[in-house]
Amino acid sequence: MKLYFSIAAACLCLYANLSNAQLLNQDASGKSTIIESGSTVSLDFSQALANINYFKSIPQKKDNKSARGLIIGGQLQGRSAGGWANLFSDGKFTPEGNLSVLAGGYTRLRKIRDNDNYEWLLEERVKCNEERNEKGRLLDEKIFPGLINKHWQVQDCGSSDSVLTLVKAAMDSKTKLIEKLEKLEKEIREKASFDRCDLQAVKSIHALVEDLRETAELERFIALTDKLDKLRTEINDYSKRVVRTGRLTYYFRAGVSARGFKYDNGEAIKQMDTRFTDVSSVEPYFEIGTSWRLNACSYLGITAGAQYFSNFGALAQSAYSLVSQDSIGNSVLQTKTEITAYSGAAFIRKWGAYVNADYLFLLPLEQAKSMYLGISPYIRLNFPGVSAYLDSFRATAGLGGYFINGNSGAFQGGIYLQTSDLNKENYDHIGKTITFGLVSKFNLSGIAL
């Protein structure tokens, strides 16, 4: 089993650089219902838990601006009841591992008033711009050159070239063309040294203006320009009305948990091979879930699923030393073997249901928002069903605090407190079931803040 999980870990690490989703918080079992941009490798020092997650968003459009898309990925966990030394050591059986895969979709949520009209404005702007460009090319390539050849009668005048340059510049811009030509005509008329060349230029400009007033293509170009300006204004107004409400992710996750340990059948058993038996438990699970990014600083996740529940947590752990000795002449050679075993009334597994929920709020710690504190309350509701060895209902709640780099969007790790005794009638027991965790995260990418 260790070989299979090692291969899976290598695959996840290989693809993690391409990922753009992560678990933003986690409980004592390394799980979370909130999925967002980024990828992480996290270490829970109190639980001897290593957690690698990889989730990749695939937008419908290649420009990455699509409002919808797919999300795929997976998560791998390894845990050792014997601490970090036993988690990766050779020859040791890893007590617990978890591998899951996820597939779903996401939608970037936004609300636009009168969305149909907004789409019509966008289409109308495209059509208007295409027709305006077509009219502009016709004016530049045929109509304007023809009018200049027809009306420009300035001859034997050195200043005519500069005046013609001004006329062509006004035609190139087309914006308020007739007004510009009339202004140019007026400036020439008001010259102190008005001569024959100026008179010819004035007559030519006047003739151009008269013909331009009757040019339907120019009139249409001006009308399209005014219409395009109005469309742009309306579109800008609509864009200001867009209310972005974050992102909704919905998914199906399936996985398998594997646990291996030695079970102590009791002191009544006198044979070693029958007293301590190896137990290997493979437990599949599946769930459906949704993760909401409500805004830039608020996240909510909810999942519901089915899995095997066991009473492994209620078994008592004991450490034994098996000593064997051989006589060599006058000497005795002793061999000591350490055995960690679990004992109890019985080890059972049973299908049950669960509902999990997480909330995360990012609180800026500095005015420049270069560092955030993520406050994350969560609850776990388990329904194992009726059994002599399992509670019919179990509620777990916790509160986590995580530090986030506001510049890179990378999670830096944090701490959590968790109790698994909320449903007990005697609340004096709650303090005895509190779990404290210290989590360190290594980020391969971050979230957008």
Side-chain angles (χ1 to χ4, degrees):
M1 184 179 68
K2 172 174 281 191
L3 175 62
Y4 298 150
F5 279 98
S6 299
I7 294 174
C11 293
L12 283 174
C13 288
L14 177 64
Y15 286 102
N17 283 321
L18 301 176
S19 70
N20 58 352
Q22 66 175 326
L23 300 182
L24 302 188
N25 66 329
Q26 66 183 65
D27 57 16
S29 63
K31 295 182 179 179
S32 173
T33 64
I34 300 175
I35 297 175
E36 255 298 324
S37 297
S39 60
T40 56
V41 177
S42 63
L43 304 176
D44 186 336
F45 295 100
S46 61
Q47 299 294 320
L49 173 68
N51 190 335
I52 304 172
N53 64 81
Y54 159 76
F55 302 108
K56 180 177 179 61
S57 296
I58 306 175
Q60 288 184 346
K61 298 180 181 179
K62 294 183 179 180
D63 59 7
N64 205 30
K65 295 181 180 180
S66 176
R68 295 179 177 84
L70 301 177
I71 182 169
I72 59 174
Q75 183 179 6
L76 177 66
Q77 297 179 8
R79 183 203 300 257
S80 175
W84 288 105
N86 291 339
L87 185 58
F88 299 109
S89 60
D90 294 334
K92 301 283 186 177
F93 190 82
T94 302
E96 186 174 348
N98 183 294
L99 177 65
S100 64
V101 293
L102 177 147
Y106 69 86
T107 300
R108 288 192 176 96
L109 302 176
R110 62 180 184 175
K111 181 180 180 181
I112 301 177
R113 299 176 186 174
D114 192 6
N115 188 60
D116 293 338
N117 190 44
Y118 180 75
E119 298 295 335
W120 177 85
L121 288 173
L122 295 177
E123 295 175 0
E124 194 68 14
R125 181 181 62 178
V126 173
K127 294 178 182 178
C128 182
N129 196 50
E130 290 177 351
E131 185 180 355
R132 179 178 177 274
N133 291 339
E134 182 181 351
K135 295 297 181 184
R137 286 193 296 269
L138 180 62
L139 290 170
D140 290 335
E141 296 172 2
K142 294 184 178 181
I143 296 177
F144 288 162
L147 290 177
I148 289 177
N149 292 333
K150 177 181 177 182
H151 296 293
W152 198 253
Q153 304 296 333
V154 182
Q155 299 177 357
D156 302 328
C157 292
S159 62
S160 63
D161 291 340
S162 60
V163 176
L164 181 59
T165 300
L166 294 175
V167 172
K168 289 182 177 180
M171 289 180 169
D172 287 341
S173 68
K174 301 179 191 66
T175 304
K176 298 182 179 180
L177 174 57
I178 293 178
E179 289 87 340
K180 290 179 179 179
L181 293 179
E182 288 178 338
K183 181 179 179 181
L184 179 60
E185 179 185 348
K186 182 180 179 181
E187 290 176 353
I188 296 174
R189 286 182 182 275
E190 294 177 352
K191 287 177 60 177
S193 58
F194 188 80
D195 57 18
R196 177 185 62 84
C197 293
D198 295 327
L199 178 60
Q200 292 179 6
V202 166
K203 290 182 178 179
S204 297
I205 294 174
H206 185 76
L208 280 172
V209 169
E210 292 300 319
D211 262 11
L212 287 172
R213 293 185 189 278
E214 303 298 328
T215 303
E217 287 78 3
L218 180 60
E219 183 179 355
R220 179 60 179 167
F221 180 87
I222 294 173
L224 290 171
T225 301
D226 293 340
K227 181 179 180 180
L228 192 59
D229 289 340
K230 293 180 180 179
L231 288 172
R232 285 170 178 164
T233 301
E234 291 188 54
I235 290 172
N236 288 336
D237 290 341
Y238 268 95
S239 64
K240 295 177 182 178
R241 300 175 190 173
V242 175
V243 180
R244 298 189 180 276
T245 57
R247 167 170 152 160
L248 170 64
T249 301
Y250 42 91
Y251 58 87
F252 172 81
R253 188 194 329 238
V256 59
S257 295
R259 178 184 289 111
F261 62 95
K262 286 186 178 295
Y263 184 75
D264 184 358
N265 291 292
E267 297 179 355
I269 308 298
K270 301 302 181 181
Q271 299 294 325
M272 271 293 299
D273 56 349
T274 54
R275 175 170 177 177
F276 297 103
T277 57
D278 289 329
V279 177
S280 181
S281 175
V282 179
E283 304 165 357
Y285 67 92
F286 59 88
E287 67 183 24
I288 56 174
T290 179
S291 177
W292 295 69
R293 182 170 186 171
L294 305 175
N295 52 51
C297 294
S298 297
Y299 303 80
L300 175 66
I302 301 175
T303 60
Q307 69 174 34
Y308 270 110
F309 290 91
S310 72
N311 65 336
F312 177 77
L315 300 181
Q317 177 183 345
S318 302
Y320 302 90
S321 294
L322 175 64
V323 179
S324 302
Q325 61 183 27
D326 295 321
S327 298
I328 303 177
N330 296 327
S331 302
V332 176
L333 179 65
Q334 291 186 338
T335 303
K336 182 182 293 187
T337 303
E338 302 292 336
I339 299 175
T340 299
Y342 295 81
S343 59
F347 173 69
I348 65 166
R349 301 181 308 159
K350 187 175 182 180
W351 274 101
Y354 63 88
V355 177
N356 298 334
D358 298 74
Y359 178 75
L360 175 67
F361 179 75
L362 303 183
L363 180 67
L365 298 180
E366 301 174 358
Q367 188 173 2
K369 296 184 178 180
S370 59
M371 185 65 68
Y372 288 80
L373 173 63
I375 302 173
S376 177
Y378 59 86
I379 189 167
R380 308 287 184 257
L381 304 178
N382 298 322
F383 306 90
V386 180
S387 172
Y389 301 100
L390 290 173
D391 294 332
S392 60
F393 170 70
R394 192 177 190 91
T396 298
L399 178 66
Y402 301 91
F403 291 98
I404 302 97
N405 188 315
N407 296 323
S408 64
F411 274 62
Q412 307 298 314
I415 61 174
Y416 65 83
L417 289 173
Q418 175 176 307
T419 178
S420 56
D421 210 15
L422 288 182
N423 56 306
K424 295 297 183 181
E425 294 182 1
N426 185 0
Y427 286 94
D428 292 338
H429 293 166
I430 290 181
K432 299 179 181 180
T433 61
I434 287 181
T435 301
F436 172 82
L438 175 63
V439 180
S440 177
K441 288 180 178 284
F442 302 92
N443 295 269
L444 300 175
S445 58
I447 65 172
L449 294 173

Coordinates of all heavy atoms in Angstrom, one line a residue, residues 374-445:
G374 N -6.8 34.8 8.2 CA -8.0 34.0 7.8 C -8.6 33.3 9.1 O -7.9 32.5 9.7
I375 N -9.8 33.7 9.4 CA -10.5 33.1 10.5 C -11.5 32.1 10.0 O -12.4 32.5 9.2 CB -11.2 34.2 11.4 CG1 -10.2 35.3 11.9 CG2 -12.0 33.6 12.5 CD1 -10.8 36.4 12.5
S376 N -11.4 30.9 10.4 CA -12.2 29.8 9.8 C -12.9 28.9 10.8 O -12.3 28.0 11.3 CB -11.3 29.0 8.9 OG -12.0 27.9 8.3
P377 N -14.1 29.2 11.1 CA -14.9 28.2 11.9 C -15.4 27.1 11.0 O -15.7 27.3 9.8 CB -16.1 29.0 12.5 CG -16.2 30.1 11.5 CD -14.9 30.4 10.9
Y378 N -15.5 25.9 11.5 CA -16.0 24.7 10.8 C -16.8 23.8 11.7 O -16.6 23.7 12.9 CB -14.9 24.0 10.0 CG -13.8 23.5 10.9 CD1 -13.9 22.2 11.4 CD2 -12.7 24.2 11.1 CE1 -12.9 21.7 12.2 CE2 -11.6 23.7 11.9 CZ -11.7 22.5 12.5 OH -10.7 22.0 13.3
I379 N -17.6 22.9 11.0 CA -18.4 21.9 11.8 C -18.4 20.6 11.0 O -18.5 20.7 9.7 CB -19.8 22.4 12.1 CG1 -20.5 21.5 13.1 CG2 -20.6 22.7 10.9 CD1 -21.7 22.0 13.8
R380 N -18.4 19.5 11.6 CA -18.5 18.2 11.0 C -19.6 17.4 11.7 O -19.6 17.2 12.9 CB -17.2 17.4 11.1 CG -16.0 18.2 10.6 CD -16.0 18.3 9.1 NE -14.8 18.9 8.6 CZ -14.7 20.2 8.2 NH1 -15.8 20.9 8.2 NH2 -13.6 20.7 7.7
L381 N -20.6 17.0 10.9 CA -21.8 16.2 11.5 C -21.7 14.8 10.9 O -21.8 14.7 9.7 CB -23.1 16.9 11.1 CG -23.2 18.4 11.6 CD1 -24.6 18.9 11.1 CD2 -23.1 18.5 13.1
N382 N -21.5 13.8 11.7 CA -21.4 12.4 11.3 C -22.6 11.6 11.8 O -23.0 11.7 12.9 CB -20.1 11.8 11.8 CG -18.9 12.5 11.3 OD1 -18.9 12.9 10.1 ND2 -17.9 12.7 12.1
F383 N -23.1 10.8 10.9 CA -24.3 9.9 11.2 C -23.9 8.4 10.9 O -24.3 7.9 9.9 CB -25.5 10.3 10.4 CG -25.8 11.8 10.6 CD1 -25.3 12.8 9.7 CD2 -26.7 12.2 11.5 CE1 -25.6 14.1 9.8 CE2 -27.0 13.6 11.7 CZ -26.4 14.5 10.8
P384 N -23.2 7.8 11.8 CA -22.8 6.4 11.5 C -23.9 5.4 11.6 O -23.7 4.2 11.1 CB -21.7 6.1 12.6 CG -21.4 7.4 13.2 CD -22.6 8.3 13.0
G385 N -25.0 5.7 12.2 CA -26.1 4.8 12.3 C -26.0 4.1 13.7 O -25.1 4.4 14.5
V386 N -26.9 3.2 13.9 CA -27.0 2.5 15.2 C -26.0 1.4 15.3 O -26.0 0.5 14.4 CB -28.4 2.0 15.5 CG1 -28.5 1.3 16.8 CG2 -29.4 3.1 15.4
S387 N -25.2 1.4 16.3 CA -24.2 0.3 16.5 C -23.8 0.3 18.0 O -23.8 1.4 18.7 CB -22.9 0.6 15.6 OG -21.9 -0.3 16.0
A388 N -23.4 -0.9 18.5 CA -23.0 -1.0 19.9 C -21.7 -0.3 20.1 O -21.3 0.0 21.2 CB -22.9 -2.5 20.2
Y389 N -20.9 -0.1 19.0 CA -19.5 0.4 19.2 C -19.3 1.8 18.6 O -18.3 2.4 18.7 CB -18.5 -0.5 18.6 CG -18.5 -1.9 19.1 CD1 -19.2 -2.9 18.5 CD2 -17.9 -2.2 20.3 CE1 -19.2 -4.2 19.0 CE2 -17.9 -3.5 20.8 CZ -18.6 -4.5 20.2 OH -18.6 -5.8 20.7
L390 N -20.4 2.4 18.1 CA -20.3 3.7 17.4 C -21.5 4.6 17.9 O -22.6 4.1 18.1 CB -20.4 3.6 15.9 CG -19.2 3.0 15.2 CD1 -19.5 2.8 13.7 CD2 -17.9 3.8 15.4
D391 N -21.2 5.8 18.1 CA -22.3 6.8 18.5 C -23.1 7.0 17.2 O -22.7 7.0 16.1 CB -21.7 8.1 18.9 CG -20.9 8.1 20.2 OD1 -21.2 7.2 21.0 OD2 -20.0 8.9 20.4
S392 N -24.4 7.1 17.4 CA -25.4 7.2 16.3 C -25.2 8.6 15.7 O -25.6 8.8 14.5 CB -26.8 7.0 16.8 OG -27.2 7.9 17.8
F393 N -24.7 9.6 16.4 CA -24.5 10.9 15.9 C -23.2 11.5 16.6 O -23.1 11.4 17.8 CB -25.7 11.8 16.2 CG -25.5 13.3 15.9 CD1 -25.3 13.7 14.6 CD2 -25.4 14.2 17.0 CE1 -25.1 15.1 14.4 CE2 -25.2 15.5 16.7 CZ -25.0 16.0 15.4
R394 N -22.4 12.2 15.8 CA -21.2 12.8 16.4 C -21.0 14.1 15.7 O -21.0 14.2 14.5 CB -20.0 11.9 16.1 CG -18.8 12.3 16.9 CD -17.6 11.3 16.7 NE -16.6 11.6 17.6 CZ -16.4 11.0 18.8 NH1 -17.3 10.2 19.2 NH2 -15.4 11.3 19.6
A395 N -20.8 15.1 16.5 CA -20.6 16.5 16.0 C -19.2 17.0 16.4 O -18.8 16.8 17.6 CB -21.7 17.5 16.6
T396 N -18.5 17.5 15.4 CA -17.2 18.0 15.6 C -17.2 19.5 15.2 O -17.7 19.8 14.1 CB -16.1 17.2 14.9 OG1 -16.1 15.9 15.3 CG2 -14.7 17.8 15.0
A397 N -16.5 20.4 15.9 CA -16.4 21.8 15.6 C -15.0 22.3 15.8 O -14.3 21.7 16.7 CB -17.4 22.6 16.3
G398 N -14.6 23.3 15.1 CA -13.3 23.8 15.3 C -13.2 25.2 14.8 O -14.1 25.8 14.1
L399 N -12.1 25.8 15.1 CA -11.8 27.2 14.7 C -10.3 27.3 14.3 O -9.4 26.9 15.1 CB -12.1 28.2 15.8 CG -11.8 29.7 15.5 CD1 -12.7 30.2 14.4 CD2 -11.9 30.5 16.8
G400 N -10.1 27.8 13.1 CA -8.7 27.9 12.6 C -8.3 29.3 12.4 O -9.2 30.2 12.1
G401 N -7.0 29.6 12.5 CA -6.5 30.9 12.1 C -5.3 30.8 11.2 O -4.4 30.0 11.6
Y402 N -5.3 31.4 10.1 CA -4.3 31.2 9.1 C -3.8 32.6 8.6 O -4.5 33.5 8.5 CB -4.8 30.4 7.9 CG -5.3 29.0 8.3 CD1 -6.7 28.9 8.6 CD2 -4.5 27.9 8.3 CE1 -7.1 27.6 9.0 CE2 -5.0 26.7 8.7 CZ -6.3 26.5 9.1 OH -6.7 25.3 9.5
F403 N -2.5 32.6 8.2 CA -1.9 33.8 7.7 C -1.7 33.7 6.2 O -1.3 32.7 5.7 CB -0.5 34.1 8.4 CG -0.6 34.4 9.8 CD1 -0.4 33.5 10.8 CD2 -0.9 35.7 10.2 CE1 -0.5 33.8 12.2 CE2 -1.0 36.1 11.6 CZ -0.8 35.1 12.5
I404 N -2.1 34.8 5.5 CA -2.1 34.8 4.0 C -1.3 36.0 3.6 O -1.5 37.2 4.1 CB -3.5 34.9 3.4 CG1 -4.3 33.7 3.9 CG2 -3.5 35.0 1.9 CD1 -5.2 34.0 5.1
N405 N -0.4 35.8 2.7 CA 0.4 36.9 2.1 C -0.5 37.7 1.1 O -0.9 37.1 0.1 CB 1.6 36.4 1.4 CG 2.6 37.5 1.0 OD1 2.2 38.5 0.4 ND2 3.9 37.3 1.2
G406 N -0.8 39.0 1.4 CA -1.7 39.7 0.5 C -1.1 40.0 -0.9 O -1.8 40.2 -1.8
N407 N 0.3 40.0 -1.0 CA 0.9 40.3 -2.3 C 0.9 39.2 -3.2 O 0.6 39.3 -4.4 CB 2.3 40.8 -2.0 CG 2.4 42.1 -1.2 OD1 1.5 43.0 -1.4 ND2 3.4 42.2 -0.4
S408 N 1.2 38.0 -2.7 CA 1.2 36.8 -3.5 C 0.0 35.9 -3.5 O -0.2 35.0 -4.3 CB 2.5 35.9 -3.1 OG 2.3 35.5 -1.8
G409 N -0.8 36.1 -2.4 CA -2.0 35.3 -2.2 C -1.7 33.9 -1.7 O -2.5 33.0 -1.7
A410 N -0.5 33.8 -1.2 CA 0.0 32.5 -0.7 C -0.4 32.3 0.8 O -0.2 33.2 1.6 CB 1.5 32.3 -0.9
F411 N -0.9 31.1 1.2 CA -1.2 30.8 2.5 C 0.1 30.4 3.3 O 0.9 29.6 2.8 CB -2.2 29.7 2.6 CG -3.6 30.2 2.5 CD1 -4.1 30.8 1.4 CD2 -4.5 30.0 3.6 CE1 -5.4 31.3 1.3 CE2 -5.8 30.5 3.5 CZ -6.2 31.1 2.4
Q412 N 0.3 31.0 4.4 CA 1.6 30.7 5.2 C 1.4 29.7 6.3 O 2.4 29.3 6.9 CB 2.0 32.0 5.8 CG 2.2 33.2 4.8 CD 3.2 32.9 3.7 OE1 4.3 32.5 4.0 NE2 2.8 33.2 2.5
G413 N 0.2 29.2 6.5 CA 0.0 28.2 7.6 C -0.7 28.9 8.7 O -1.1 30.1 8.7
G414 N -0.9 28.1 9.8 CA -1.6 28.7 11.0 C -1.9 27.6 12.0 O -1.2 26.6 12.1
I415 N -2.9 27.9 12.8 CA -3.2 26.9 13.9 C -4.7 26.7 13.9 O -5.5 27.4 13.2 CB -2.8 27.5 15.3 CG1 -3.6 28.8 15.6 CG2 -1.3 27.7 15.4 CD1 -3.3 29.4 17.0
Y416 N -5.2 25.6 14.6 CA -6.6 25.4 14.7 C -6.8 24.7 16.1 O -5.9 24.1 16.7 CB -7.1 24.5 13.6 CG -6.5 23.1 13.6 CD1 -7.0 22.1 14.4 CD2 -5.4 22.8 12.7 CE1 -6.5 20.8 14.4 CE2 -4.9 21.5 12.7 CZ -5.4 20.5 13.5 OH -4.8 19.3 13.5
L417 N -8.0 24.9 16.6 CA -8.5 24.2 17.8 C -9.8 23.5 17.4 O -10.6 24.0 16.8 CB -8.8 25.2 18.9 CG -7.6 25.9 19.6 CD1 -8.1 27.0 20.5 CD2 -6.7 24.9 20.3
Q418 N -9.9 22.2 17.9 CA -11.0 21.4 17.5 C -11.5 20.5 18.7 O -10.7 20.0 19.4 CB -10.6 20.5 16.3 CG -11.7 19.5 15.9 CD -11.3 18.7 14.7 OE1 -10.9 19.3 13.7 NE2 -11.3 17.4 14.8
T419 N -12.8 20.4 18.8 CA -13.3 19.5 19.8 C -14.3 18.5 19.1 O -15.0 18.9 18.2 CB -14.1 20.2 20.9 OG1 -14.6 19.2 21.8 CG2 -15.2 21.1 20.4
S420 N -14.3 17.3 19.5 CA -15.2 16.3 18.8 C -16.2 15.8 19.8 O -16.7 14.7 19.7 CB -14.3 15.1 18.4 OG -13.6 14.5 19.4
D421 N -16.6 16.6 20.8 CA -17.5 16.1 21.8 C -18.7 17.0 22.0 O -19.3 17.1 23.1 CB -16.7 16.1 23.2 CG -17.3 15.0 24.1 OD1 -18.0 14.1 23.6 OD2 -17.0 15.0 25.3
L422 N -19.1 17.7 20.9 CA -20.2 18.6 21.0 C -21.6 18.0 21.4 O -22.4 18.6 22.0 CB -20.4 19.4 19.7 CG -19.3 20.5 19.4 CD1 -19.6 21.2 18.1 CD2 -19.2 21.5 20.6
N423 N -21.8 16.7 21.0 CA -23.0 16.1 21.2 C -23.2 15.4 22.5 O -24.2 14.8 22.8 CB -23.3 15.1 20.0 CG -22.2 14.1 19.9 OD1 -21.0 14.4 19.8 ND2 -22.6 12.8 20.0
K424 N -22.1 15.5 23.3 CA -22.2 14.8 24.7 C -23.1 15.6 25.6 O -23.1 16.9 25.6 CB -20.8 14.7 25.3 CG -19.9 13.7 24.5 CD -20.4 12.3 24.4 CE -19.5 11.4 23.7 NZ -20.0 10.0 23.7
E425 N -23.8 14.9 26.4 CA -24.7 15.6 27.4 C -23.9 16.3 28.5 O -24.3 17.4 29.0 CB -25.7 14.6 28.0 CG -26.7 14.1 27.0 CD -27.6 13.1 27.7 OE1 -27.6 13.0 28.9 OE2 -28.5 12.5 27.0
N426 N -22.8 15.8 28.9 CA -22.0 16.3 29.9 C -20.9 17.2 29.3 O -19.9 16.7 28.7 CB -21.3 15.2 30.8 CG -20.5 15.8 31.9 OD1 -20.5 17.1 32.1 ND2 -20.0 15.0 32.7
Y427 N -21.1 18.5 29.3 CA -20.1 19.4 28.6 C -18.8 19.6 29.3 O -17.9 20.2 28.9 CB -20.8 20.8 28.3 CG -21.8 20.7 27.2 CD1 -23.2 20.5 27.5 CD2 -21.4 20.8 25.9 CE1 -24.1 20.4 26.5 CE2 -22.4 20.8 24.9 CZ -23.7 20.6 25.2 OH -24.6 20.5 24.2
D428 N -18.7 19.0 30.5 CA -17.4 19.0 31.2 C -16.4 18.2 30.4 O -15.2 18.3 30.6 CB -17.5 18.4 32.6 CG -18.4 19.3 33.5 OD1 -18.5 20.5 33.2 OD2 -18.9 18.8 34.5
H429 N -16.8 17.3 29.5 CA -15.9 16.4 28.8 C -15.3 17.2 27.6 O -14.4 16.7 27.0 CB -16.7 15.2 28.3 CG -17.1 14.3 29.4 ND1 -18.0 13.2 29.2 CD2 -16.7 14.2 30.7 CE1 -18.1 12.6 30.3 NE2 -17.4 13.2 31.3
I430 N -15.9 18.3 27.2 CA -15.4 19.0 26.0 C -14.0 19.3 26.1 O -13.2 19.2 25.1 CB -16.3 20.2 25.7 CG1 -17.7 19.8 25.3 CG2 -15.7 21.1 24.6 CD1 -18.6 20.9 25.0
G431 N -13.5 19.8 27.2 CA -12.1 20.2 27.4 C -11.2 19.1 27.2 O -10.0 19.3 26.9
K432 N -11.6 17.8 27.4 CA -10.8 16.7 27.3 C -10.6 16.2 25.9 O -9.8 15.4 25.6 CB -11.3 15.5 28.2 CG -11.4 15.9 29.7 CD -12.0 14.7 30.4 CE -12.1 15.0 31.9 NZ -12.7 13.9 32.7
T433 N -11.5 16.7 25.0 CA -11.4 16.3 23.6 C -10.9 17.4 22.6 O -11.0 17.2 21.4 CB -12.8 15.8 23.1 OG1 -13.7 16.9 23.2 CG2 -13.3 14.7 24.0
I434 N -10.4 18.5 23.2 CA -9.9 19.5 22.3 C -8.5 19.1 21.7 O -7.7 18.6 22.4 CB -9.7 20.8 23.2 CG1 -11.0 21.4 23.5 CG2 -8.8 21.8 22.4 CD1 -11.0 22.7 24.2
T435 N -8.4 19.4 20.4 CA -7.2 19.1 19.7 C -6.6 20.4 19.2 O -7.3 21.3 18.7 CB -7.5 18.2 18.4 OG1 -8.1 17.0 18.9 CG2 -6.3 17.9 17.6
F436 N -5.3 20.6 19.4 CA -4.6 21.7 18.9 C -3.7 21.3 17.8 O -3.0 20.3 17.9 CB -3.8 22.3 20.1 CG -2.9 23.5 19.6 CD1 -3.3 24.7 19.5 CD2 -1.5 23.2 19.4 CE1 -2.5 25.8 19.1 CE2 -0.7 24.2 19.0 CZ -1.2 25.5 18.8
G437 N -3.7 22.1 16.7 CA -2.9 21.8 15.6 C -2.1 23.0 15.1 O -2.6 24.1 15.1
L438 N -0.9 22.7 14.6 CA -0.1 23.7 14.0 C 0.2 23.2 12.5 O 0.7 22.1 12.3 CB 1.3 23.8 14.7 CG 2.3 24.7 14.1 CD1 1.8 26.2 14.1 CD2 3.6 24.7 14.9
V439 N -0.2 24.1 11.6 CA -0.1 23.7 10.2 C 0.8 24.7 9.4 O 0.8 25.9 9.6 CB -1.5 23.8 9.5 CG1 -1.4 23.4 8.0 CG2 -2.5 22.9 10.2
S440 N 1.7 24.1 8.7 CA 2.6 24.8 7.8 C 2.3 24.5 6.4 O 2.1 23.3 6.0 CB 4.1 24.5 8.1 OG 4.9 25.2 7.2
K441 N 2.2 25.6 5.5 CA 1.8 25.4 4.1 C 2.9 25.8 3.2 O 3.5 26.9 3.4 CB 0.5 26.1 3.8 CG -0.7 25.5 4.4 CD -2.0 26.3 4.0 CE -3.2 25.6 4.6 NZ -3.6 24.4 3.8
F442 N 3.2 25.0 2.2 CA 4.1 25.4 1.1 C 3.3 25.6 -0.2 O 2.7 24.7 -0.7 CB 5.2 24.3 0.9 CG 6.0 24.0 2.1 CD1 5.5 23.0 3.0 CD2 7.1 24.7 2.4 CE1 6.2 22.7 4.2 CE2 7.8 24.4 3.6 CZ 7.4 23.4 4.5
N443 N 3.3 26.9 -0.6 CA 2.4 27.2 -1.7 C 3.1 27.2 -3.1 O 4.2 27.8 -3.2 CB 1.8 28.6 -1.5 CG 0.9 28.7 -0.3 OD1 -0.2 28.5 -0.4 ND2 1.6 28.9 0.9
L444 N 2.5 26.6 -4.1 CA 3.1 26.6 -5.4 C 2.4 27.7 -6.3 O 2.8 28.0 -7.3 CB 2.9 25.2 -6.1 CG 3.6 24.1 -5.3 CD1 3.3 22.8 -5.9 CD2 5.1 24.3 -5.3
S445 N 1.3 28.2 -5.8 CA 0.6 29.3 -6.4 C -0.4 29.9 -5.4 O -0.6 29.2 -4.4 CB -0.1 29.0 -7.7 OG -1.1 28.0 -7.5

